Amino acid sequence: MTGHETSLISRLCEAENPRKFLEWEGQDGYYVTTCRISADDVPGLIDIALKWSDVDWTPNPIPPRTDEEIASLLPVTAWRALADLQADAAVEPLLQLLRDCNDPHDEWLADDLPHFCSNIGEPAIQPLIPLAADPSLKEFVRTIALRSLGLVARNHPGTHERIVGCLTEIMAQAVEGHRTFNSLLLEELVDLGAVQAAEPIERAFSRNLIDHGMVGDWEQVRRELGVEGLGLPMPKNPHHSVKMLDTSQGDGIFSDLPLFGFEGFDEQDAKAYCDRAYDEFSQSSEGQHVLERHGGLIWSVSFLRFGLNYLSQVVDVMTLDSVQEYILDYVPRKVSTDADSAAWIIDELVHFWMFLDRVYALPEAKLIVGWLSADGRIPRLQEDLSDPANFGPAKSLIMTGRRHGYDMSSAAEAQEFIKLYNQSLIAARQPPAPPAAQKNRVGRNEPCPCGSGKKFKKCCGGPS
């Protein structure tokens, strides 16, 4: 280490601990004064700042009486000093450091880099644009670049029009799979009063590329921008992260509060959820059709119970996979019903999902109705319900009892059958008795086995 490098490290260590000096961006000139740095120190400061990518790096030797945490955070102190110096030569190296970062939770880069770029001003714009615009980059990298551009535009009015134009173009190129970034981009545009971005924003809403849970809906954004809009059709089921979180916890169309907690769901809440669904479905035209044809509504409630017990899902978030698991696995394996029930099961679930589509427009409702209504669905279920190989142990027991004439819904009869069934199993497991040992037979004219020398018929085998 050269004498200049040693001197620079010693001077940087005289600054406040970065962890305790979080408002540094409002203290222009602090590092220039405290660390006695100048433009001559820029190359050395860049070298130290780039050591941030080496988690094991510490200055060697550490200056005497230097706090170890201050030493370990010396790269942070270095890039803050570069910001104070408005060293535009550091822009490219520090943005490459960001590009190469693999830690999406690096709060130091996330918090400090936008302020560094803001201090640099206009020279930071061109290197930042490719980072914000490239959807192949890590989202946290794009987000930090986006925040940096927003700060530059706010703190350097002469750059506002250029940056808004760039961000508008990025919004026009918005793609699926990046809703969080698209929504953060929208927030920056609205904060910057980017009226010219209204059309690409509306188109992104129309294509369901925006998270309504983060920014609200297009109508709210339109009013905030003060524009009329194109009147594009909006998605029936827009992405809404907050509602998705609520429904994943069991708060949905038939439940006003989350059903799922750390210890599962409360039985009374689950019953209220199923009762509410039953009441609404039974009063609908679809439910009336099922009641008239089959005389009851039981399979929709069975399906809802399956969702709670096995999938920890309310109907709001259930998908075609959920329905297929119920029909193809759960019902044949666990539900004790005859093959004749197949038509009722399918018909009721078809009309239940038709109801959910018409009234609540659940995202996969139409897809589910199509799958349930497909040719061969009922015969396939009949076949699965008829094959004992599909039955789980509990269902096998119940179905066997029914075949022997027992009412397995009666606790007394079920108990009687189970007792007899267990006795039959025990009997079946008893090993067969060994055949009786055969005694050796002695002929009447053979010597008597007692050793008397007489014939058997004249001795032990004679009349007593």
Side-chain angles (χ1 to χ4, degrees), residues 11 63 110 116 131 154 158 170 205 208 276 288 302 315 322 324 407 424:
R11 284 178 279 138
F116 165 81
L131 294 185
R154 290 181 187 87
I170 295 173
F205 269 110
N208 205 9
R276 182 169 165 184
Q288 289 295 312
S302 167
V315 73
S322 310
Q324 289 175 335
D407 178 5
S424 69

Side-chain angles (χ1 to χ4, degrees), residues 145-188:
L146 173 64
R147 289 185 58 236
S148 300
L149 286 166
L151 271 182
V152 173
R154 290 181 187 87
N155 296 330
H156 301 270
T159 67
H160 182 277
E161 184 176 351
R162 179 185 175 191
I163 290 176
V164 165
C166 293
L167 298 186
T168 300
E169 181 60 28
I170 295 173
M171 178 60 78
Q173 303 298 322
V175 295
E176 294 183 8
H178 297 268
R179 284 197 183 96
T180 298
F181 176 81
N182 297 339
S183 303
L184 293 171
L185 172 59
L186 184 153
E187 287 182 334
E188 287 289 349

